[in-house]
Amino acid sequence: KLLDNDHHLLAAPLASLARLLMDQGRLVEAEPLSREALRLRRKSLGDTHPLVTRSLANLIDILLAQEKFGEAEPLARECLATRERTMPDDPQTFNSRCLLSACLLGEQKYPEAEPLLLSGYEGMKQREARIPPAGKYRLKQAMERLVQLYEVTNRPEQAAEWKQKLTE
């Protein structure tokens, strides 16, 4: 609460620190920092600003890494809905589909996860040239999730197809 006067200035370093902690596997420490960055950005920028959806996506990543799928799902739905409204042709929007599908995959909602994951991957693939180098891993991540989906739903042919694409 002491940060509220300069909230827009403090959200970025909090978000960066949360991401660094996440990359180090320090998820329990990263989560509250990510939540605070999101809160501060919402307060200063509103709910639809790209930095707010980026903060949402970062928090979703942290929650997914902790297997908090049910907690991440409503945030992923919000992130996707906002990005579809405000930046429908951006690769980040298609990544948001993959994030939501990861939540659904973790909750074993396979029929709902599959079309989101496929369309998310295809949308990112079509816009691959616009994905910054640091975000290219998202395509591989989507393919790995497709392999997982097809393995847990006992569809070895599709799993093998996506495994092959991963090696290419």
Side-chain angles (χ1 to χ4, degrees):
K1 298 293 180 198
L2 295 173
L3 307 178
D4 283 349
N5 292 337
D6 294 317
H7 49 275
H8 65 287
L9 300 174
L10 295 168
L14 282 173
S16 295
L17 181 56
R19 193 78 202 172
L20 176 66
L21 290 169
M22 181 187 158
D23 291 345
Q24 295 174 348
R26 297 165 62 183
L27 303 171
V28 173
E29 294 170 78
E31 185 180 337
L33 294 175
S34 185
R35 287 184 184 281
E36 182 64 4
L38 174 60
R39 185 188 75 77
L40 293 172
R41 283 182 168 159
R42 279 189 199 274
K43 182 175 176 124
S44 64
L45 302 170
D47 290 334
T48 61
H49 192 279
L51 288 174
V52 173
T53 56
R54 182 179 300 160
S55 288
L56 273 169
N58 288 338
L59 178 55
I60 294 160
D61 279 336
I62 291 168
L63 294 172
L64 287 172
Q66 294 178 85
E67 299 184 359
K68 295 180 177 180
F69 306 115
E71 194 174 334
E73 183 186 343
L75 298 173
R77 288 188 185 282
E78 176 188 353
C79 185
L80 176 58
T82 301
R83 284 180 168 169
E84 284 181 335
R85 249 187 348 271
T86 60
M87 42 199 257
D89 192 48
D90 193 282
Q92 293 177 67
T93 301
F94 294 93
N95 179 59
S96 295
R97 289 183 185 183
C98 293
L99 288 174
L100 176 54
S101 70
C103 299
L104 299 169
L105 187 59
E107 295 176 292
Q108 301 178 3
K109 297 177 181 177
Y110 306 127
E112 191 178 353
E114 184 176 11
L116 281 167
L117 189 49
L118 286 168
S119 67
Y121 170 78
E122 290 301 327
M124 285 192 295
K125 188 68 176 165
Q126 291 168 5
R127 293 155 183 83
E128 187 172 6
R130 293 174 29 208
I131 299 174
K136 299 279 186 191
Y137 75 95
R138 295 290 191 178
L139 283 164
K140 180 181 177 191
Q141 192 177 56
M143 288 188 282
E144 290 168 345
R145 287 178 177 147
L146 282 160
V147 170
Q148 179 188 4
L149 171 71
Y150 292 128
E151 286 179 344
V152 299
T153 57
N154 199 28
R155 293 185 275 173
E157 296 83 18
Q158 287 102 326
E161 178 185 328
W162 286 100
K163 282 181 186 177
Q164 179 62 38
K165 288 182 182 186
L166 270 168
T167 62
E168 295 170 357

